[in-house]
Amino acid sequence: MEVGDYSGKYASEVEVKLEEGEVMQDGGDGGGSALVAVEAMTEPPQVDIRMDVALLHCHTCHHPLKPPVYKCDAAGHIVCFYCRAGHGDICSRASTHCPELDAVVGAAKVPCPYRAFGCEQYVVYHGAADHQRACQCAPCSCPESGCPFVGSRGMLLDHIAAAHSRLAVTVRYGRSSNLNFPLSQSWHALVAEEDRSVFLVSLGALGAATAVSLVCVQEDGVPAAPQFWCKLFVDRTGEDKDKDKLVLMASTVGSSTLTDGVPAPGQGMFLAVPQELLSGEMLALNIRIDHLRPAAATKSTTPRARTPGRMQ
């Protein structure tokens, strides 16, 4: 796991911030002692601490601890709610609830790993991976071939305007936009008016046709459930009623950080536009993007089980 990446289980140490108390301490021995620096804040007092990150993870499954936290009676192993029963198969049942540790793991915060790209948030450690996957400052690459840019989506919009003289087209969710794209340019940026989400329309030759695809510029595979739905179509039926001059594609929208550049023509879901539906060297494309609202989570009284890991 890379430094600052909270998506894995744990590395050797992590800097956390606790929201309660006001302490200054410098162990200075390079060992297990904590390095603490008081941060001047008014309400409430906070402190930065460097500590062994394993202390914030379940002894059994090695995932970040979150309340309620339990301790086994035999060896004092600290385990999460999901592992407390199964822990008895390899040590002893963890039946002792630790409210003091609940307070610690509920207050321990870490800086977002994307601080260099503009995110200034401190997030609760056990929720840091979720924040990282959804962070608006997660870095992405420039779609222009050979360009070394890496930055947040907001930085990307400024970059393509300044470095490539390409302005993003503003669209609104749930509304169709009739846009004209020159075929000489392989990509075109869109930005949602409501939340500044960035989308990339890519164009490429696919045999005698032109393949058109749309991706949301964000971390690959995030979120797990589809977040956007789109409809792409070219309609020139009014020009010649004797011919079928409508092509349409509707699907959920995939995501990409553009690390590998613009999606290749024909990759994933795409719209194939025949040559006769092009307007010379331009593509007249109708785009509609809908923001899918997540369904209300159904509360379950039965927690999901985790597979216990090996004791260390």
Short mmCIF file of all heavy atoms in Angstrom, two decimals, residues 170-234:
data_model
loop_
_atom_site.label_atom_id
_atom_site.label_comp_id
_atom_site.label_asym_id
_atom_site.label_seq_id
_atom_site.Cartn_x
_atom_site.Cartn_y
_atom_site.Cartn_z
N THR A 170 -20.55 23.13 -20.74
CA THR A 170 -21.40 22.93 -19.57
C THR A 170 -22.71 22.27 -19.96
O THR A 170 -23.38 22.69 -20.91
CB THR A 170 -21.68 24.27 -18.87
OG1 THR A 170 -20.44 24.87 -18.48
CG2 THR A 170 -22.55 24.08 -17.63
N VAL A 171 -23.09 21.22 -19.22
CA VAL A 171 -24.35 20.53 -19.45
C VAL A 171 -25.10 20.45 -18.13
O VAL A 171 -24.53 20.65 -17.06
CB VAL A 171 -24.13 19.10 -20.02
CG1 VAL A 171 -23.48 19.16 -21.39
CG2 VAL A 171 -23.28 18.26 -19.07
N ARG A 172 -26.39 20.15 -18.22
CA ARG A 172 -27.22 19.99 -17.04
C ARG A 172 -27.81 18.59 -17.02
O ARG A 172 -28.18 18.05 -18.06
CB ARG A 172 -28.34 21.04 -17.00
CG ARG A 172 -27.83 22.47 -16.91
CD ARG A 172 -28.97 23.43 -16.61
NE ARG A 172 -29.53 23.19 -15.28
CZ ARG A 172 -30.58 23.84 -14.78
NH1 ARG A 172 -31.18 24.78 -15.51
NH2 ARG A 172 -31.04 23.56 -13.58
N TYR A 173 -27.88 18.02 -15.83
CA TYR A 173 -28.43 16.68 -15.69
C TYR A 173 -29.91 16.67 -16.10
O TYR A 173 -30.67 17.59 -15.80
CB TYR A 173 -28.32 16.19 -14.25
CG TYR A 173 -26.89 15.98 -13.78
CD1 TYR A 173 -26.49 16.42 -12.52
CD2 TYR A 173 -25.95 15.35 -14.59
CE1 TYR A 173 -25.18 16.22 -12.07
CE2 TYR A 173 -24.65 15.16 -14.15
CZ TYR A 173 -24.27 15.60 -12.90
OH TYR A 173 -22.99 15.41 -12.46
N GLY A 174 -30.29 15.61 -16.77
CA GLY A 174 -31.69 15.43 -17.14
C GLY A 174 -32.15 16.24 -18.33
O GLY A 174 -33.34 16.23 -18.66
N ARG A 175 -31.22 16.96 -18.99
CA ARG A 175 -31.59 17.77 -20.14
C ARG A 175 -30.73 17.39 -21.34
O ARG A 175 -29.53 17.12 -21.20
CB ARG A 175 -31.41 19.26 -19.84
CG ARG A 175 -32.35 19.78 -18.77
CD ARG A 175 -32.27 21.30 -18.67
NE ARG A 175 -33.16 21.84 -17.65
CZ ARG A 175 -33.34 23.12 -17.40
NH1 ARG A 175 -32.66 24.03 -18.12
NH2 ARG A 175 -34.17 23.52 -16.46
N SER A 176 -31.33 17.37 -22.50
CA SER A 176 -30.59 17.04 -23.72
C SER A 176 -29.84 18.26 -24.22
O SER A 176 -30.34 19.38 -24.16
CB SER A 176 -31.55 16.54 -24.80
OG SER A 176 -32.16 15.32 -24.41
N SER A 177 -28.64 18.01 -24.69
CA SER A 177 -27.81 19.08 -25.25
C SER A 177 -27.42 18.70 -26.67
O SER A 177 -26.92 17.59 -26.91
CB SER A 177 -26.54 19.28 -24.41
OG SER A 177 -26.86 19.65 -23.08
N ASN A 178 -27.65 19.60 -27.61
CA ASN A 178 -27.26 19.38 -29.00
C ASN A 178 -25.89 20.03 -29.21
O ASN A 178 -25.77 21.26 -29.18
CB ASN A 178 -28.30 19.98 -29.95
CG ASN A 178 -29.65 19.29 -29.85
OD1 ASN A 178 -29.75 18.10 -30.08
ND2 ASN A 178 -30.68 20.04 -29.47
N LEU A 179 -24.89 19.19 -29.43
CA LEU A 179 -23.52 19.68 -29.49
C LEU A 179 -22.88 19.31 -30.82
O LEU A 179 -23.20 18.27 -31.41
CB LEU A 179 -22.70 19.09 -28.35
CG LEU A 179 -23.27 19.32 -26.94
CD1 LEU A 179 -22.44 18.57 -25.90
CD2 LEU A 179 -23.33 20.81 -26.62
N ASN A 180 -22.00 20.16 -31.29
CA ASN A 180 -21.27 19.91 -32.53
C ASN A 180 -19.79 19.74 -32.22
O ASN A 180 -19.16 20.65 -31.65
CB ASN A 180 -21.48 21.07 -33.51
CG ASN A 180 -22.90 21.13 -34.03
OD1 ASN A 180 -23.33 20.26 -34.78
ND2 ASN A 180 -23.64 22.17 -33.63
N PHE A 181 -19.25 18.58 -32.57
CA PHE A 181 -17.86 18.26 -32.28
C PHE A 181 -17.08 18.07 -33.57
O PHE A 181 -17.50 17.30 -34.44
CB PHE A 181 -17.76 16.97 -31.46
CG PHE A 181 -18.43 17.05 -30.11
CD1 PHE A 181 -19.35 16.09 -29.73
CD2 PHE A 181 -18.12 18.07 -29.22
CE1 PHE A 181 -19.95 16.14 -28.49
CE2 PHE A 181 -18.72 18.14 -27.98
CZ PHE A 181 -19.64 17.18 -27.60
N PRO A 182 -15.93 18.73 -33.70
CA PRO A 182 -15.09 18.49 -34.87
C PRO A 182 -14.44 17.11 -34.79
O PRO A 182 -13.91 16.72 -33.74
CB PRO A 182 -14.04 19.61 -34.80
CG PRO A 182 -14.03 20.02 -33.36
CD PRO A 182 -15.41 19.81 -32.84
N LEU A 183 -14.49 16.36 -35.88
CA LEU A 183 -13.92 15.02 -35.91
C LEU A 183 -12.40 15.03 -35.81
O LEU A 183 -11.79 14.01 -35.50
CB LEU A 183 -14.36 14.29 -37.18
CG LEU A 183 -15.88 14.08 -37.33
CD1 LEU A 183 -16.18 13.46 -38.68
CD2 LEU A 183 -16.42 13.21 -36.21
N SER A 184 -11.81 16.18 -36.07
CA SER A 184 -10.35 16.28 -36.02
C SER A 184 -9.81 16.21 -34.60
O SER A 184 -8.62 16.00 -34.38
CB SER A 184 -9.89 17.59 -36.67
OG SER A 184 -10.47 18.71 -36.01
N GLN A 185 -10.70 16.38 -33.61
CA GLN A 185 -10.29 16.31 -32.22
C GLN A 185 -10.86 15.04 -31.60
O GLN A 185 -12.07 14.80 -31.66
CB GLN A 185 -10.77 17.55 -31.45
CG GLN A 185 -10.15 18.84 -31.98
CD GLN A 185 -10.72 20.08 -31.31
OE1 GLN A 185 -11.76 20.05 -30.69
NE2 GLN A 185 -10.01 21.20 -31.45
N SER A 186 -10.00 14.25 -30.98
CA SER A 186 -10.42 12.92 -30.51
C SER A 186 -11.15 12.95 -29.17
O SER A 186 -11.73 11.94 -28.77
CB SER A 186 -9.21 12.00 -30.40
OG SER A 186 -8.27 12.51 -29.45
N TRP A 187 -11.15 14.07 -28.47
CA TRP A 187 -11.84 14.13 -27.19
C TRP A 187 -12.42 15.53 -26.96
O TRP A 187 -11.91 16.52 -27.49
CB TRP A 187 -10.90 13.76 -26.04
CG TRP A 187 -9.68 14.63 -25.92
CD1 TRP A 187 -8.47 14.42 -26.48
CD2 TRP A 187 -9.58 15.88 -25.21
NE1 TRP A 187 -7.60 15.44 -26.17
CE2 TRP A 187 -8.24 16.35 -25.38
CE3 TRP A 187 -10.45 16.65 -24.44
CZ2 TRP A 187 -7.78 17.53 -24.82
CZ3 TRP A 187 -10.00 17.84 -23.88
CH2 TRP A 187 -8.68 18.26 -24.07
N HIS A 188 -13.47 15.56 -26.16
CA HIS A 188 -14.14 16.81 -25.83
C HIS A 188 -14.63 16.70 -24.39
O HIS A 188 -15.20 15.68 -24.00
CB HIS A 188 -15.32 17.08 -26.77
CG HIS A 188 -14.91 17.10 -28.21
ND1 HIS A 188 -14.49 18.24 -28.85
CD2 HIS A 188 -14.84 16.09 -29.14
CE1 HIS A 188 -14.17 17.94 -30.11
NE2 HIS A 188 -14.39 16.66 -30.30
N ALA A 189 -14.40 17.74 -23.60
CA ALA A 189 -14.74 17.72 -22.17
C ALA A 189 -16.10 18.36 -21.93
O ALA A 189 -16.45 19.37 -22.54
CB ALA A 189 -13.67 18.44 -21.36
N LEU A 190 -16.85 17.76 -21.01
CA LEU A 190 -18.12 18.30 -20.54
C LEU A 190 -18.02 18.47 -19.03
O LEU A 190 -17.32 17.71 -18.35
CB LEU A 190 -19.28 17.35 -20.85
CG LEU A 190 -19.43 16.82 -22.27
CD1 LEU A 190 -20.60 15.84 -22.35
CD2 LEU A 190 -19.62 17.95 -23.27
N VAL A 191 -18.72 19.45 -18.49
CA VAL A 191 -18.76 19.63 -17.04
C VAL A 191 -20.20 19.86 -16.62
O VAL A 191 -20.93 20.63 -17.25
CB VAL A 191 -17.85 20.80 -16.60
CG1 VAL A 191 -18.26 22.11 -17.26
CG2 VAL A 191 -17.84 20.93 -15.08
N ALA A 192 -20.63 19.16 -15.57
CA ALA A 192 -22.01 19.30 -15.09
C ALA A 192 -22.16 20.59 -14.31
O ALA A 192 -21.36 20.90 -13.42
CB ALA A 192 -22.38 18.11 -14.22
N GLU A 193 -23.19 21.33 -14.62
CA GLU A 193 -23.43 22.61 -13.95
C GLU A 193 -23.71 22.41 -12.47
O GLU A 193 -23.30 23.22 -11.63
CB GLU A 193 -24.61 23.32 -14.62
CG GLU A 193 -24.97 24.66 -14.02
CD GLU A 193 -26.11 25.34 -14.75
OE1 GLU A 193 -26.04 25.47 -16.00
OE2 GLU A 193 -27.08 25.72 -14.08
N GLU A 194 -24.39 21.30 -12.13
CA GLU A 194 -24.84 21.12 -10.76
C GLU A 194 -23.72 20.81 -9.77
O GLU A 194 -23.68 21.35 -8.66
CB GLU A 194 -25.89 19.99 -10.69
CG GLU A 194 -27.19 20.31 -11.39
CD GLU A 194 -27.15 20.03 -12.89
OE1 GLU A 194 -26.05 19.73 -13.42
OE2 GLU A 194 -28.21 20.09 -13.53
N ASP A 195 -22.79 19.91 -10.12
CA ASP A 195 -21.77 19.48 -9.16
C ASP A 195 -20.35 19.50 -9.71
O ASP A 195 -19.43 19.03 -9.06
CB ASP A 195 -22.09 18.08 -8.62
CG ASP A 195 -22.17 17.04 -9.74
OD1 ASP A 195 -21.82 17.36 -10.90
OD2 ASP A 195 -22.58 15.89 -9.45
N ARG A 196 -20.17 20.03 -10.92
CA ARG A 196 -18.85 20.16 -11.55
C ARG A 196 -18.21 18.81 -11.86
O ARG A 196 -16.99 18.72 -12.00
CB ARG A 196 -17.90 21.00 -10.69
CG ARG A 196 -18.44 22.36 -10.28
CD ARG A 196 -18.79 23.21 -11.48
NE ARG A 196 -17.61 23.61 -12.25
CZ ARG A 196 -17.67 24.26 -13.41
NH1 ARG A 196 -18.85 24.54 -13.96
NH2 ARG A 196 -16.56 24.59 -14.04
N SER A 197 -19.00 17.75 -11.96
CA SER A 197 -18.46 16.48 -12.43
C SER A 197 -17.98 16.66 -13.86
O SER A 197 -18.60 17.38 -14.65
CB SER A 197 -19.53 15.38 -12.37
OG SER A 197 -19.82 15.02 -11.04
N VAL A 198 -16.88 15.98 -14.20
CA VAL A 198 -16.27 16.12 -15.53
C VAL A 198 -16.49 14.85 -16.32
O VAL A 198 -16.29 13.74 -15.81
CB VAL A 198 -14.76 16.42 -15.41
CG1 VAL A 198 -14.12 16.55 -16.79
CG2 VAL A 198 -14.54 17.70 -14.60
N PHE A 199 -16.89 15.01 -17.56
CA PHE A 199 -17.12 13.89 -18.47
C PHE A 199 -16.27 14.09 -19.72
O PHE A 199 -15.95 15.23 -20.09
CB PHE A 199 -18.59 13.78 -18.86
CG PHE A 199 -19.52 13.58 -17.69
CD1 PHE A 199 -20.03 14.68 -17.00
CD2 PHE A 199 -19.88 12.31 -17.27
CE1 PHE A 199 -20.88 14.50 -15.92
CE2 PHE A 199 -20.73 12.13 -16.19
CZ PHE A 199 -21.23 13.23 -15.51
N LEU A 200 -15.93 12.99 -20.36
CA LEU A 200 -15.13 13.06 -21.58
C LEU A 200 -15.84 12.31 -22.69
O LEU A 200 -16.16 11.14 -22.57
CB LEU A 200 -13.75 12.45 -21.35
CG LEU A 200 -12.73 12.79 -22.45
CD1 LEU A 200 -12.21 14.20 -22.26
CD2 LEU A 200 -11.58 11.79 -22.45
N VAL A 201 -16.10 13.04 -23.78
CA VAL A 201 -16.63 12.42 -25.00
C VAL A 201 -15.43 12.10 -25.90
O VAL A 201 -14.62 12.99 -26.19
CB VAL A 201 -17.59 13.37 -25.74
CG1 VAL A 201 -18.07 12.73 -27.05
CG2 VAL A 201 -18.78 13.73 -24.86
N SER A 202 -15.30 10.85 -26.30
CA SER A 202 -14.19 10.47 -27.17
C SER A 202 -14.71 10.02 -28.52
O SER A 202 -15.76 9.36 -28.62
CB SER A 202 -13.35 9.36 -26.53
OG SER A 202 -14.12 8.21 -26.28
N LEU A 203 -14.01 10.42 -29.57
CA LEU A 203 -14.38 10.09 -30.94
C LEU A 203 -13.22 9.33 -31.58
O LEU A 203 -12.05 9.67 -31.37
CB LEU A 203 -14.66 11.35 -31.76
CG LEU A 203 -15.59 12.40 -31.15
CD1 LEU A 203 -15.69 13.60 -32.08
CD2 LEU A 203 -16.97 11.81 -30.91
N GLY A 204 -13.54 8.32 -32.37
CA GLY A 204 -12.49 7.56 -33.04
C GLY A 204 -13.04 6.74 -34.18
O GLY A 204 -14.21 6.35 -34.18
N ALA A 205 -12.20 6.52 -35.17
CA ALA A 205 -12.62 5.73 -36.34
C ALA A 205 -12.81 4.28 -35.95
O ALA A 205 -11.98 3.69 -35.24
CB ALA A 205 -11.59 5.86 -37.45
N LEU A 206 -13.92 3.71 -36.40
CA LEU A 206 -14.21 2.30 -36.18
C LEU A 206 -14.69 1.73 -37.51
O LEU A 206 -15.88 1.74 -37.80
CB LEU A 206 -15.28 2.13 -35.09
CG LEU A 206 -15.55 0.70 -34.64
CD1 LEU A 206 -14.33 0.10 -33.94
CD2 LEU A 206 -16.76 0.67 -33.70
N GLY A 207 -13.74 1.31 -38.33
CA GLY A 207 -14.10 0.92 -39.69
C GLY A 207 -14.53 2.16 -40.46
O GLY A 207 -13.87 3.19 -40.44
N ALA A 208 -15.69 2.05 -41.11
CA ALA A 208 -16.22 3.19 -41.85
C ALA A 208 -17.03 4.12 -40.97
O ALA A 208 -17.46 5.19 -41.42
CB ALA A 208 -17.08 2.69 -43.02
N ALA A 209 -17.26 3.73 -39.72
CA ALA A 209 -18.07 4.53 -38.81
C ALA A 209 -17.19 5.30 -37.83
O ALA A 209 -15.98 5.14 -37.80
CB ALA A 209 -19.04 3.62 -38.04
N THR A 210 -17.84 6.15 -37.04
CA THR A 210 -17.16 6.88 -35.96
C THR A 210 -17.72 6.39 -34.64
O THR A 210 -18.95 6.42 -34.42
CB THR A 210 -17.38 8.39 -36.09
OG1 THR A 210 -16.79 8.85 -37.30
CG2 THR A 210 -16.76 9.13 -34.92
N ALA A 211 -16.85 5.89 -33.77
CA ALA A 211 -17.27 5.43 -32.46
C ALA A 211 -17.28 6.59 -31.47
O ALA A 211 -16.31 7.34 -31.38
CB ALA A 211 -16.35 4.32 -31.96
N VAL A 212 -18.38 6.74 -30.74
CA VAL A 212 -18.54 7.81 -29.76
C VAL A 212 -18.79 7.17 -28.40
O VAL A 212 -19.67 6.33 -28.25
CB VAL A 212 -19.72 8.73 -30.12
CG1 VAL A 212 -19.82 9.89 -29.13
CG2 VAL A 212 -19.62 9.23 -31.55
N SER A 213 -17.99 7.55 -27.41
CA SER A 213 -18.20 7.01 -26.07
C SER A 213 -18.12 8.13 -25.05
O SER A 213 -17.62 9.23 -25.33
CB SER A 213 -17.15 5.94 -25.74
OG SER A 213 -15.84 6.47 -25.77
N LEU A 214 -18.63 7.85 -23.85
CA LEU A 214 -18.68 8.85 -22.79
C LEU A 214 -18.22 8.20 -21.49
O LEU A 214 -18.68 7.11 -21.14
CB LEU A 214 -20.10 9.39 -22.63
CG LEU A 214 -20.33 10.41 -21.50
CD1 LEU A 214 -19.76 11.76 -21.89
CD2 LEU A 214 -21.82 10.54 -21.17
N VAL A 215 -17.31 8.84 -20.77
CA VAL A 215 -16.88 8.37 -19.46
C VAL A 215 -16.90 9.53 -18.48
O VAL A 215 -16.78 10.70 -18.88
CB VAL A 215 -15.46 7.75 -19.47
CG1 VAL A 215 -15.44 6.48 -20.30
CG2 VAL A 215 -14.42 8.75 -19.94
N CYS A 216 -17.07 9.21 -17.21
CA CYS A 216 -16.95 10.20 -16.16
C CYS A 216 -15.50 10.17 -15.68
O CYS A 216 -14.93 9.10 -15.45
CB CYS A 216 -17.89 9.87 -14.99
SG CYS A 216 -17.79 11.04 -13.62
N VAL A 217 -14.89 11.33 -15.55
CA VAL A 217 -13.49 11.40 -15.13
C VAL A 217 -13.45 11.30 -13.62
O VAL A 217 -13.68 12.28 -12.89
CB VAL A 217 -12.82 12.69 -15.61
CG1 VAL A 217 -11.37 12.73 -15.16
CG2 VAL A 217 -12.91 12.80 -17.13
N GLN A 218 -13.20 10.11 -13.12
CA GLN A 218 -13.04 9.85 -11.70
C GLN A 218 -12.36 8.50 -11.55
O GLN A 218 -12.10 7.82 -12.54
CB GLN A 218 -14.38 9.85 -10.97
CG GLN A 218 -15.35 8.77 -11.42
CD GLN A 218 -16.68 8.85 -10.67
OE1 GLN A 218 -16.87 9.70 -9.82
NE2 GLN A 218 -17.58 7.95 -11.00
N GLU A 219 -12.06 8.12 -10.31
CA GLU A 219 -11.33 6.88 -10.08
C GLU A 219 -12.05 5.70 -10.71
O GLU A 219 -13.27 5.57 -10.60
CB GLU A 219 -11.14 6.65 -8.58
CG GLU A 219 -10.23 5.48 -8.27
CD GLU A 219 -9.92 5.38 -6.79
OE1 GLU A 219 -10.18 6.35 -6.05
OE2 GLU A 219 -9.40 4.34 -6.37
N ASP A 220 -11.30 4.82 -11.39
CA ASP A 220 -11.88 3.68 -12.08
C ASP A 220 -12.72 2.83 -11.13
O ASP A 220 -12.29 2.49 -10.03
CB ASP A 220 -10.78 2.80 -12.68
CG ASP A 220 -9.94 3.55 -13.71
OD1 ASP A 220 -10.40 4.61 -14.17
OD2 ASP A 220 -8.85 3.08 -14.03
N GLY A 221 -13.94 2.50 -11.60
CA GLY A 221 -14.78 1.61 -10.80
C GLY A 221 -15.43 2.25 -9.60
O GLY A 221 -15.95 1.57 -8.73
N VAL A 222 -15.42 3.58 -9.52
CA VAL A 222 -16.01 4.29 -8.39
C VAL A 222 -17.14 5.17 -8.88
O VAL A 222 -16.98 5.91 -9.85
CB VAL A 222 -14.96 5.17 -7.69
CG1 VAL A 222 -15.60 5.99 -6.58
CG2 VAL A 222 -13.85 4.31 -7.14
N PRO A 223 -18.29 5.09 -8.19
CA PRO A 223 -18.62 4.18 -7.12
C PRO A 223 -18.94 2.79 -7.65
O PRO A 223 -19.03 2.58 -8.85
CB PRO A 223 -19.86 4.82 -6.48
CG PRO A 223 -20.52 5.50 -7.64
CD PRO A 223 -19.39 6.00 -8.53
N ALA A 224 -19.15 1.83 -6.71
CA ALA A 224 -19.42 0.46 -7.13
C ALA A 224 -20.72 0.39 -7.93
O ALA A 224 -20.82 -0.36 -8.90
CB ALA A 224 -19.48 -0.45 -5.90
N ALA A 225 -21.74 1.12 -7.51
CA ALA A 225 -23.00 1.17 -8.24
C ALA A 225 -22.95 2.30 -9.26
O ALA A 225 -22.30 3.32 -9.03
CB ALA A 225 -24.16 1.39 -7.27
N PRO A 226 -23.60 2.14 -10.42
CA PRO A 226 -23.59 3.21 -11.43
C PRO A 226 -24.10 4.53 -10.86
O PRO A 226 -25.07 4.57 -10.13
CB PRO A 226 -24.54 2.66 -12.51
CG PRO A 226 -24.52 1.18 -12.33
CD PRO A 226 -24.36 0.96 -10.86
N GLN A 227 -23.41 5.59 -11.20
CA GLN A 227 -23.77 6.92 -10.69
C GLN A 227 -24.45 7.78 -11.75
O GLN A 227 -25.20 8.68 -11.42
CB GLN A 227 -22.51 7.61 -10.18
CG GLN A 227 -22.75 8.91 -9.43
CD GLN A 227 -21.48 9.51 -8.90
OE1 GLN A 227 -20.39 9.03 -9.19
NE2 GLN A 227 -21.60 10.57 -8.11
N PHE A 228 -24.17 7.48 -13.02
CA PHE A 228 -24.73 8.27 -14.11
C PHE A 228 -25.27 7.36 -15.21
O PHE A 228 -24.79 6.24 -15.41
CB PHE A 228 -23.66 9.20 -14.71
CG PHE A 228 -23.06 10.15 -13.73
CD1 PHE A 228 -21.81 9.92 -13.18
CD2 PHE A 228 -23.75 11.31 -13.35
CE1 PHE A 228 -21.25 10.79 -12.27
CE2 PHE A 228 -23.19 12.19 -12.44
CZ PHE A 228 -21.94 11.93 -11.90
N TRP A 229 -26.25 7.88 -15.90
CA TRP A 229 -26.85 7.20 -17.05
C TRP A 229 -26.82 8.19 -18.20
O TRP A 229 -27.00 9.41 -17.99
CB TRP A 229 -28.28 6.79 -16.72
CG TRP A 229 -29.03 6.12 -17.83
CD1 TRP A 229 -29.10 4.78 -18.09
CD2 TRP A 229 -29.88 6.75 -18.81
NE1 TRP A 229 -29.92 4.54 -19.18
CE2 TRP A 229 -30.40 5.73 -19.64
CE3 TRP A 229 -30.22 8.08 -19.08
CZ2 TRP A 229 -31.26 6.01 -20.71
CZ3 TRP A 229 -31.07 8.35 -20.14
CH2 TRP A 229 -31.57 7.32 -20.94
N CYS A 230 -26.57 7.72 -19.42
CA CYS A 230 -26.52 8.65 -20.54
C CYS A 230 -27.28 8.11 -21.75
O CYS A 230 -27.49 6.90 -21.89
CB CYS A 230 -25.06 8.94 -20.94
SG CYS A 230 -24.27 7.58 -21.83
N LYS A 231 -27.68 9.03 -22.60
CA LYS A 231 -28.27 8.69 -23.90
C LYS A 231 -27.55 9.53 -24.95
O LYS A 231 -27.50 10.76 -24.84
CB LYS A 231 -29.78 8.98 -23.92
CG LYS A 231 -30.43 8.60 -25.25
CD LYS A 231 -31.95 8.64 -25.18
CE LYS A 231 -32.48 10.04 -25.05
NZ LYS A 231 -33.96 10.09 -25.16
N LEU A 232 -26.97 8.86 -25.92
CA LEU A 232 -26.29 9.52 -27.03
C LEU A 232 -27.03 9.18 -28.31
O LEU A 232 -27.34 8.01 -28.56
CB LEU A 232 -24.84 9.04 -27.16
CG LEU A 232 -23.97 9.02 -25.89
CD1 LEU A 232 -22.59 8.45 -26.22
CD2 LEU A 232 -23.85 10.42 -25.30
N PHE A 233 -27.33 10.18 -29.11
CA PHE A 233 -27.94 9.86 -30.39
C PHE A 233 -27.67 10.93 -31.43
O PHE A 233 -27.41 12.10 -31.13
CB PHE A 233 -29.45 9.58 -30.25
CG PHE A 233 -30.30 10.78 -29.90
CD1 PHE A 233 -30.88 11.56 -30.88
CD2 PHE A 233 -30.56 11.07 -28.57
CE1 PHE A 233 -31.69 12.64 -30.56
CE2 PHE A 233 -31.36 12.15 -28.23
CZ PHE A 233 -31.94 12.93 -29.23
N VAL A 234 -27.72 10.48 -32.69
CA VAL A 234 -27.60 11.36 -33.86
C VAL A 234 -28.88 11.18 -34.65
O VAL A 234 -29.24 10.05 -35.02
CB VAL A 234 -26.37 11.00 -34.73
CG1 VAL A 234 -26.34 11.86 -35.98
CG2 VAL A 234 -25.09 11.16 -33.92
#
